[in-house]
Amino acid sequence: MSLPSRPPHRRVRVTSPQTRIALSRRHRPVQQLLPLPDGTLDDGALAAARATFARQRRLALRTATGLAALLLGLSGLLAALPALDRITVGPVPASWLLLMAASYPMLLVIAALHVRAAERIEDSAAPERHRPAVPGPGTDAHRPGTGTTTGTRTGDWGPAAGGGRP
Amino acid sequence: MTGLLAIGLLLAASMLIGVYGVRAARSTPDFLVASQEVKPTWNALAIAGEYVSAASVLGLAGLMLKHGIGTLWYAVGFTAGYVVVAALVAGPMRRSGAYTVPDFADYRLGSQRIRKLCAVIVLVIMWLYLIPQFKGAGVVLHLVSGTPYWVGVVLAGLVVSVSILAGGMRSATYVQGFHYLVKLVFIAVPAVVLLASAGPEGRAEALHVDLTAWSRPLLDLDNSGEPLLATWSVLIATTLGAAGLPHVIMRFSTTATARAARRVAVWVIVLLGLFYLFPAVYGLLGRVFTPELATEGDTDTVTVVLPGAMLPGTWGAVLTALVAAGAFAAFLSTSSGLLLALAGGLSHDLSRTGATGVGRLRLAVAAGALVAVLLSLPAAAVDINVLVGWAFAVAASTFCPLLVLGIWWRGLTVAGAAAGLVAGVCASTGAALASAVVDAPHGWVVVLLAQPAAWTVPLAFAVMYGVSRLGTPPEWAERAVLRLHTPDDTARPR
């Protein structure tokens, strides 16, 4: 992973791998596809990844529907019931209160419920993926070690093993 | 003069925090995304600080004075956008490893042309968004010191570009976090004081529901007579636009993991919901105490003018200074985020020259700021929230479909994405321009031109989906999608 071979008399700038990757992004050839994080992609891992994706997508669809129902429903309610303008809660008209203050907690609840459900899906997916059909020795070694996903962009190291690419 | 002093102090404090963070900003990742070392709490504060712009601090109360209570739907949409971000975008985007939307398009579709197309759209959105920020700076400086409008605009451009050139994103994170607190306190405290000093009659009058459209909790654009359609169109633009704004998306690559990215988005909802309780106070009291702004003069000034109009003397001056500093913080942090995203697009995705990373990025910052200043000079008469609304509509009609379909549907193809992006950007900017030029008859046509998201967003989704279905995605597309949803970072060593 050293710098591309340069004549020894040239000054070599010493940078971290991340920095180098970021700086050389535009020299990258056409997009190189990453392998799934496990490096190897056996049928078991692929099926697990597909199942996780399907569950996350169903959840995302549910949350999006809920959000649309809240926003369009609340505004529709205020449009349909002008009487809410005349009812007051303390000194404030009920319709104003719904718009000004009540919508934010509801948005927060929708988002928090989604995040909790999405994390549960991930938690239940993680053990499955750690039981590959053939536990090859390289399974963990190929795992990109850090969260800096830039470092996993294999394109900068030339062809990487296992990536299904065009 | 107290106002000038407050703004000066704010600038000095921002610079100090910026310098504190500057030492590590020596590489492009530091410069652009702070090398992903930013703590989640600071990240949420910084995202909220960057997001709460002049549109929220000045524009919301101003447009409310003009159009009524229904303006607050903008604020609801601005916040609801983070539900979409948390649910659909943040986690997968973080896993893709992409810094920016053009990066993501490149990752997902493997096409340099899409990257360039996205970069052009980034420029359109960022400039549309920067103009109202600079306008806000010009107006506020004019109000507190009497300098001509252009002085404030030019000064704003200078301050923002110099602070970015010195620090980049790493320092910007702390500065923006600080700015969120400044904005919240400097808008909330005067709001509470003003409410108290308005007296029982003032408060009752502010909360009085009369029979005009002003009191209806729906957004009636230009008296179109179609308030529900207009409200929905604004909601679609702001909610989906937030999920496609390049500088917002860029922020999530500074989180440590995909999981953290989602949680940060939820915290942002808390911070935004808290902040948006207060601009309404200025709109309501402004209607009672400064009604003349609605007929003559610039309604965007109401937040700054109101304290002086209600409380003459020292207290009024002090509160005016606080609000002015809050407004300045709003425009400073938002425009530095916008300018960084703009510069990223210019230097990484569009340019072909061989200059090295940080130097090129700095050049792009200066160039981007210059263009924004030039565009802002003739924009003094345009409402802040109208321009920001357009920026959201363009983002909602371009990057939102790209990200949502790219993340959740493996069938997206290069041709489909390109066709959808072009259709979305042409339709939304075209409609916005037409509404400024053409004097349309009243009714739904006005709404669909002035706030086009209600039809341009479905159009962009449909074109992207339809054209993609005509072709076949490459074999690796499924893995590119699956990778975005595979929990790799949950088990990673810390």
Side-chain angles (χ1 to χ4, degrees), chain B residues 220-454:
Chain B
D220 199 359
L221 288 170
D222 300 332
N223 299 317
S224 62
E226 299 281 350
L228 192 59
L229 178 66
T231 305
W232 284 4
S233 206
V234 164
L235 273 175
I236 291 171
T238 47
T239 304
L240 297 179
L245 282 176
H247 67 297
V248 170
I249 298 302
M250 202 163 132
R251 267 281 165 206
F252 285 92
S253 48
T254 62
T255 53
T257 63
R259 209 170 251 239
R262 263 195 229 114
R263 292 188 165 204
V264 165
V266 175
W267 278 110
V268 174
I269 297 176
V270 175
L271 296 175
L272 291 181
L274 188 62
F275 177 85
Y276 283 132
L277 294 177
F278 297 102
V281 173
Y282 293 87
L284 288 173
L285 293 178
R287 189 158 180 248
V288 178
F289 292 94
T290 56
E292 69 281 357
L293 282 178
T295 46
E296 54 197 73
D298 190 348
T299 46
D300 282 336
T301 60
V302 62
T303 311
V304 183
V305 170
L306 188 66
M310 287 180 66
L311 294 171
T314 320
W315 280 109
V318 169
L319 290 184
T320 306
L322 283 188
V323 174
F328 231 73
F331 117 83
L332 264 186
S333 47
T334 302
S335 32
S336 46
L338 295 171
L339 210 50
L340 261 178
L342 184 90
L346 269 178
S347 70
H348 274 306
D349 304 318
L350 281 179
S351 116
R352 301 165 173 243
T353 56
T356 51
V358 173
R360 208 154 40 109
L361 204 56
R362 296 204 156 128
L363 194 68
V365 166
L370 183 68
V371 173
V373 165
L374 291 178
L375 288 174
S376 311
L377 288 177
V382 189
D383 284 324
I384 290 177
N385 257 36
V386 168
L387 280 168
V388 168
W390 285 347
F392 272 81
V394 175
S397 323
T398 52
F399 289 154
C400 174
L402 176 76
L403 291 174
V404 169
L405 290 180
I407 288 170
W408 297 100
W409 183 47
R410 66 178 179 173
L412 185 70
T413 65
V414 176
L421 287 174
V422 170
V425 75
C426 289
S428 51
T429 50
L433 283 178
S435 82
V437 177
V438 181
D439 202 11
H442 282 202
W444 55 270
V445 184
V446 178
V447 175
L448 293 186
L449 285 181
Q451 190 40 262

Side-chain angles (χ1 to χ4, degrees), chain B residues 208-226:
Chain B
H208 172 68
V209 176
D210 52 30
L211 292 173
T212 59
W214 197 95
S215 298
R216 288 291 293 139
L218 292 172
L219 185 57
D220 199 359
L221 288 170
D222 300 332
N223 299 317
S224 62
E226 299 281 350

Side-chain angles (χ1 to χ4, degrees), chain A residues 19 23 25-26 28 31 33 41 50 57 75 78 85 93 96 100 119 122-123 147-149 164 166, chain B residues 27-28 36 72 94-95 103 106-107 110 209 215-216 232 259 262-263 348 360 408 476 478-479:
Chain A
T19 311
L23 289 176
R25 284 195 310 159
R26 73 208 139 80
R28 194 179 48 201
Q31 195 251 359
L33 193 73
L41 202 67
R50 278 183 181 149
R57 187 155 75 170
S75 48
L78 296 185
D85 296 354
W96 294 12
M100 278 184 212
E119 289 186 353
E122 284 172 356
D123 287 342
T148 50
T149 16
Chain B
S27 62
T28 312
Q36 300 163 352
L72 291 173
R94 175 65 191 85
R95 285 203 188 99
D103 261 354
D106 189 2
Y107 161 79
V209 176
S215 298
R216 288 291 293 139
W232 284 4
R259 209 170 251 239
R262 263 195 229 114
R263 292 188 165 204
H348 274 306
R360 208 154 40 109
W408 297 100
W476 47 263
E478 184 183 21
R479 287 183 192 187

